[in-house]
Amino acid sequence: AKASTDRPITLILDDAHRSNDAVWQMLLRLVRDYPDSRVFVLATARRAELASNRTALEVLHALEQEARVRRIALAPLSRRDIRELTADILGQDRVPAALVDWLTGRAQGNPRFAVGLLEAVLESDIDLRAPALGRVPERLARWIRTELAQFDSSALAVLELLAVACDSLDPDDLARIGRSPVE
């Protein structure tokens, strides 16, 4: 905060839902102890995972009461967004529609998936007018495995059932199929 007297400082907390209590307490202290500092904090978090962090919720609630937080919910990328992202990565204005359609269908609005799939297509020197991959790219697969490793066994079982169902399921049906309590 003291360093921000010379110039504004930006602090980025990516995946803040994974931050421990000390990080959240530090953020609260920074805001309260140095109200005139020129520090901009950008914290990214997944809403559902953030909801399980009591300290994070308490800090965010306190900061909202002081009008020091602005939440911005991000929607999944649209087809247009994926086209623009692809054009930016490729460094060209025109992007084959087949590539955009392929990325849109597979990434389902997830920026990490869209970029990961595009990188794999580019590394494999595949025709951008007829993109296809025989399997999930290894870097993307590693990221997915890392994300899945964070789930407990019951949450992983629910996720696996939903993946097989390929559709939304009523919680009661899901509990019956998974032979587990609806909670």
Side-chain angles (χ1 to χ4, degrees):
K2 290 177 184 176
S4 74
T5 57
D6 294 335
R7 64 178 178 265
I9 294 175
T10 300
L11 175 63
I12 300 174
L13 301 174
D14 193 21
D15 289 337
H17 53 273
R18 294 183 179 162
S19 297
N20 63 26
D21 292 353
V23 171
W24 289 104
Q25 292 299 332
M26 179 262 329
L27 182 60
L28 184 61
R29 184 166 180 211
L30 175 66
V31 170
R32 288 189 172 157
D33 292 355
Y34 302 94
D36 297 326
S37 67
R38 298 186 310 158
V39 176
F40 174 77
V41 178
L42 173 65
T44 65
R46 294 186 193 135
R47 186 180 316 171
E49 293 176 42
L50 189 63
S52 65
N53 185 329
R54 183 180 175 94
T55 302
L57 293 178
E58 289 172 359
V59 168
L60 288 171
H61 179 71
L63 294 176
E64 285 174 332
Q65 296 302 310
E66 299 171 19
R68 305 288 264 170
V69 170
R70 180 168 178 221
R71 292 185 191 215
I72 301 172
L74 299 179
L77 294 181
S78 66
R79 183 184 189 286
R80 179 180 177 185
D81 296 331
I82 289 179
R83 192 204 68 71
E84 290 175 10
L85 176 66
T86 303
D88 187 53
I89 290 171
L90 295 176
Q92 58 192 49
D93 292 333
R94 300 193 45 83
V95 176
L99 177 61
V100 175
D101 291 340
W102 184 82
L103 289 170
T104 301
R106 280 153 187 80
Q108 297 182 9
N110 184 310
R112 185 173 303 229
F113 286 177
V115 171
L117 291 169
L118 180 58
E119 286 174 346
V121 165
L122 295 173
E123 289 169 4
S124 301
D125 201 29
I126 294 171
D127 182 0
L128 300 182
R129 292 165 298 181
L133 292 173
R135 60 186 180 85
V136 175
E138 186 52 38
R139 264 191 303 208
L140 202 48
R142 269 195 314 273
W143 177 76
I144 292 168
R145 284 191 295 273
T146 301
E147 292 293 309
L148 291 175
Q150 298 173 46
F151 290 104
D152 64 28
S153 60
S154 62
L156 191 54
V158 169
L159 184 61
E160 289 171 345
L161 283 172
L162 289 171
V164 171
C166 295
D167 204 351
S168 60
L169 287 175
D170 180 86
D172 293 324
D173 292 338
L174 186 59
R176 189 176 32 57
I177 294 167
R179 296 184 180 107
S180 62
V182 72
E183 294 79 21

